[in-house]
Amino acid sequence: MIGIIDVSRNINGVFGAGVMDYLTEHDIRLDYGIGSSSGGTNLISYFAGQKGRSYLFYYDYASRREYLNIRNIGTENNLIDMDLLYDKTFSEFTKYPFAYDQTGKEINNFYILATEADTGMPHYFDMLDPETDGLSAIKASYSVPVLNEPYAINEKTYYDGYISDPLPFMKAFNDGCEKVILITARPLSYRRDQKRDKFLLRMLGSQYPDVAQQMKRLSDMYNTEIDLALNMQDAGRLLILAPENISAIQTILKDKKRITNLYNEGYHAAGAVRSFLNL
């Protein structure tokens, strides 16, 4: 079993969309996936065999100001309007949400990762379970603390999966994957500094103390996991596909050319999959 994990975040996830479109175009079908934040959007398009869908999501819908508006803070407590973004986007895509098996290829496992707001623990929504509301799972996984309220599903609330497991490749190996392709949100040289989380910790501490505790551990967890991932890549078990440079969201939102360039970077980076899988 070969797995693919996409932990893309926000509009920079267009890099992962490029990877997925390369795999779709070259009929490289994998049977295990984990998506977190915007990586979940990418994986849905990939497993459904819908080349170009995620690129359109970032190039057009996700870059619209109506979905990302600082004026929402203080009125709705949601900088990103998840319902407006995904409900409108998915309804305007003629075949969203997809049947995940429409390509006729078998998928053994497909999960969307979110973080339980009450416990700070990871929650893997099983997207192949008919009881799972896949669209709600994606919204939950996209909900960033402080910028958004936790997203409610069946009387439980959830935040971005990145908080509880920033690089969840060990779950894939523990589930039986022999090799894993990992799409990261940051360049390989990136190491997380806990200083950037101090504001979030102050905001979360009283209302969601367990999530705040996870945030305290996040830098160490990410840095440990990326170093382990690099070691596993050297051993030939893992392939990491990462953008070389990431622009600020507000900058890239204004520049469609940069969105396209980042997409193309992901598309070309995916060529390494062939040698990794001996295709």
Side-chain angles (χ1 to χ4, degrees), residues 52-169:
R53 293 290 188 179
S54 287
Y55 171 68
L56 181 60
F57 172 81
Y58 297 106
Y59 186 84
D60 184 357
Y61 296 93
S63 62
R64 294 181 185 180
R65 291 293 180 180
E66 62 193 283
Y67 305 126
L68 182 64
N69 193 335
I70 194 66
R71 288 175 296 181
N72 288 344
I73 297 296
T75 57
E76 301 177 16
N77 294 322
N78 285 302
L79 175 63
I80 303 171
D81 191 329
M82 225 72 62
D83 289 328
L84 182 61
L85 174 59
Y86 280 104
D87 291 347
K88 183 177 179 62
T89 301
F90 278 46
S91 64
E92 289 189 12
F93 286 170
T94 58
K95 295 185 179 180
Y96 265 6
F98 317 115
Y100 301 121
D101 60 353
Q102 72 182 59
T103 60
K105 303 295 179 66
E106 182 179 1
I107 305 168
N108 291 326
N109 299 274
F110 177 22
Y111 302 100
I112 295 295
L113 170 61
T115 299
E116 295 180 1
D118 289 337
T119 67
M121 298 300 293
H123 183 95
Y124 290 90
F125 289 96
D126 185 352
M127 298 292 276
L128 302 184
D129 184 342
E131 298 297 319
T132 297
D133 181 345
L135 194 54
S136 291
I138 293 172
K139 294 175 186 177
S141 184
Y142 206 100
S143 296
V144 180
V146 179
L147 300 184
N148 286 87
E149 292 291 329
Y151 197 85
I153 302 176
N154 296 332
E155 299 183 354
K156 288 189 176 183
T157 56
Y158 302 90
Y159 275 128
D160 189 338
Y162 179 84
I163 300 167
S164 54
D165 196 351
L167 301 173
F169 57 89

Side-chain angles (χ1 to χ4, degrees), residues 234-246:
D234 290 340
R237 298 189 64 197
L238 191 73
L239 173 65
I240 308 172
L241 301 178
E244 292 186 2
N245 184 41
I246 289 294

